[in-house]
Amino acid sequence: MSSSDEVSDIFRLLIIMSACGSRRSWMLFYLTLLVALVSQSEGGCQDTGLCCFGQNQSCITEDWRKDRSYGECYCDQACKTTLDCCHDYDLACPAVSCVVSEWSVWSGCLEPCKPTLRTRWRQVIQEARNGGEPCPSLHQTAGCAEYHDQHGPCLQSLVPALITTGGYGNARKKREIFDNNITGYCVEFELTSLTAGCQRSFSPHTGWMRYLKEGHQVCVECQPPALTQGQRYCSGDGENMGQDRRLSLQWQAVGNSQCRGVWRRVRRRDSCSCPTVHSFLFI
């Protein structure tokens, strides 16, 4: 039975009730009206099986809307913006956020014996649907350096001083240290100048560069893997400059060639004690 037929039946029943005027007749009228309204509301998103991505003009039915009006309503994702969803849209089309896997392990450095990049990936397990949270980045890069190639230890030193975030120390490849007496140390520097490129680093593994500010004092750790071949110091840390150790030295952030500058060596310490955002590693 169509909606117009149901309305006609209701009007006919209303005319009969007006003639009868009985209380029982009015109760019958309300019951018939209720049945008609219920039968009209059986065309929502759930009953029609509609649930469409984006904006889809064909994803339409006739049912009660969320504003309690009756008429054409939609079951597409855009209805949340246009405010014309069917009343059961959220139930029929629940938002499903993107789900991704855990990060893969970091790759090795792309090239040995020079400042370069390492990468890691993750995969999409569940695509976002119905306005759920979109997928985050699936690929990340970070600066790194390796000190061996297929011929053995690297021959050239890496200058100027190359630095990266302190977290790299947990993942870097440790070369074999044949002399167990070799230990790391920390050097404190005062940043005297840096390029504007440091403030344009917004990815998760270059964002640390935005904490570099002129006048700040930073700690840079020299770990055994970064010790210059045959020496007891890290390349570019000023340790080999004799009485001129307090001269200004150049540095560069690995992973962003536009972030570099000059710092003044302050002192050497056995261990670093700077805040995390001001603690770095020699590559």
Side-chain angles (χ1 to χ4, degrees):
M1 181 182 293
S2 67
S3 297
S4 59
D5 291 337
E6 291 172 348
V7 172
S8 298
D9 289 343
I10 293 173
F11 274 111
R12 282 195 293 269
L13 181 58
L14 183 59
I15 293 172
I16 295 172
M17 287 169 32
S18 298
C20 298
S22 68
R23 185 174 182 180
R24 186 174 182 180
S25 298
W26 281 106
M27 291 179 63
L28 180 61
F29 167 73
Y30 284 124
L31 180 60
T32 305
L33 179 61
L34 179 61
V35 171
L37 293 178
V38 171
S39 64
Q40 285 183 353
S41 63
E42 292 179 350
C45 301
Q46 275 192 305
D47 295 319
T48 57
L50 292 174
C51 191
C52 307
F53 176 77
Q55 186 169 8
N56 189 334
Q57 295 296 333
S58 64
C59 198
I60 187 173
T61 184
E62 187 172 320
D63 196 17
W64 293 99
R65 296 183 179 180
K66 288 192 172 184
D67 61 3
R68 300 181 181 179
S69 63
Y70 186 85
E72 290 184 344
C73 57
Y74 288 83
C75 301
D76 62 356
Q77 186 177 335
C79 77
K80 302 283 284 187
T81 302
T82 54
L83 303 179
D84 52 7
C85 296
C86 295
H87 71 96
D88 62 346
Y89 173 78
D90 290 332
L91 185 62
C93 308
V96 178
S97 297
C98 176
V99 178
V100 296
S101 66
E102 295 294 326
W103 286 108
S104 67
V105 297
W106 284 103
S107 70
C109 297
L110 298 182
E111 295 183 67
C113 301
K114 63 185 297 186
T116 182
L117 298 174
R118 55 185 177 143
T119 60
R120 66 177 182 175
W121 301 265
R122 56 185 173 185
Q123 298 178 332
V124 175
I125 299 175
Q126 170 67 63
E127 294 281 0
R129 298 200 311 267
N130 308 326
E133 288 294 326
C135 293
S137 172
L138 303 177
H139 176 250
Q140 284 185 346
T141 60
C144 73
E146 290 181 359
Y147 300 89
H148 282 71
D149 58 17
Q150 66 270 27
H151 304 296
C154 303
L155 299 179
Q156 76 273 23
S157 61
L158 302 175
V159 291
L162 301 170
I163 62 171
T164 189
T165 176
Y168 178 51
N170 298 324
R172 74 193 309 177
K173 290 185 177 181
K174 303 293 192 294
R175 76 180 188 196
E176 293 183 0
I177 303 296
F178 298 103
D179 186 350
N180 293 328
N181 294 320
I182 295 180
T183 58
Y185 58 89
C186 178
V187 182
E188 293 181 6
F189 294 94
E190 180 185 346
L191 295 171
T192 56
S193 68
L194 67 160
T195 59
C198 300
Q199 303 304 309
R200 304 192 188 105
S201 301
F202 298 102
S203 67
H205 284 81
T206 60
W208 61 270
M209 301 176 192
R210 290 184 287 124
Y211 293 99
L212 296 168
K213 306 286 185 181
E214 289 186 11
H216 282 187
Q217 192 159 302
V218 298
C219 295
V220 188
E221 186 178 358
C222 177
Q223 294 179 339
L227 292 171
T228 304
Q229 181 67 23
Q231 303 292 335
R232 297 296 180 93
Y233 59 87
C234 283
S235 180
D237 72 353
E239 185 69 15
N240 63 330
M241 300 185 69
Q243 300 299 320
D244 296 327
R245 290 179 181 176
R246 292 179 66 85
L247 291 177
S248 294
L249 303 166
Q250 294 183 351
W251 58 267
Q252 179 179 320
V254 177
N256 178 4
S257 61
Q258 303 303 311
C259 180
R260 56 187 182 276
V262 175
W263 57 22
R264 181 181 61 83
R265 179 181 168 120
V266 177
R267 66 178 66 85
R268 169 174 167 165
R269 292 184 178 276
D270 291 335
S271 60
C272 292
S273 59
C274 292
T276 302
V277 293
H278 293 156
S279 297
F280 308 105
L281 291 176
F282 287 107
I283 285 290

